[in-house]
Amino acid sequence: MNIEEFREYCIRKKGITEEFPFDEHTLVFKVMGKMFALCALERRPPQVNLKCNPERAIELREEHDGNIIPGYHMSKVHWNTLLLEQLPNNLIEELINHSYDLVVSKFTKKLKGELDALS
């Protein structure tokens, strides 16, 4: 998966915005204003950061040694960095969904209702 495919997959999800809050090279994806993914557009090889359940994060790092690592410039407990070109697309999509779902699961009832109301 390349960065553009990653972006296309992320923006198809409900309630997504994309922003550059840190600098012009770091694209951040948010669901209802809460960050769930980011990518450094100029990093080579292409890398993205995704939120992850702490136990699963450790398992993924062990299974994909060197291709999934602790989150670069992020909480090493809750974020992983993925080397996009080294991982299968279905795994990347699964981890995007996992990150999105983790963030949505922490929403207030009101915010969940607003997300559900979007078409």
Side-chain angles (χ1 to χ4, degrees), residues 9-59:
Y9 191 84
C10 286
I11 64 174
R12 284 195 305 253
K13 303 188 92 38
K14 190 188 281 192
I16 297 303
T17 57
E18 45 186 343
E19 306 171 10
F20 290 91
F22 305 117
D23 59 41
E24 67 275 8
H25 305 291
T26 307
L27 179 59
V28 174
F29 297 91
K30 296 181 178 182
V31 53
M32 305 300 285
K34 305 293 183 183
M35 183 169 60
F36 78 96
L38 62 94
C39 56
L41 298 176
E42 298 198 346
R43 299 272 312 192
R44 298 292 175 255
Q47 300 175 19
V48 300
N49 286 6
L50 294 170
K51 197 165 184 92
C52 191
N53 170 285
E55 294 81 26
R56 184 150 188 228
I58 293 167
E59 291 172 10

Side-chain angles (χ1 to χ4, degrees), residues 1 5 7 15 18 33 37 39 44 48 62-63 70 81 87 89 96-97 99 111 114 118:
M1 180 177 284
E5 292 168 326
R7 178 186 171 273
E18 45 186 343
C39 56
R44 298 292 175 255
V48 300
E62 290 172 356
E63 288 174 29
T81 296
L87 298 166
N89 286 2
I96 292 168
N97 294 340
S99 181
L111 198 54
E114 290 174 16
L118 297 176

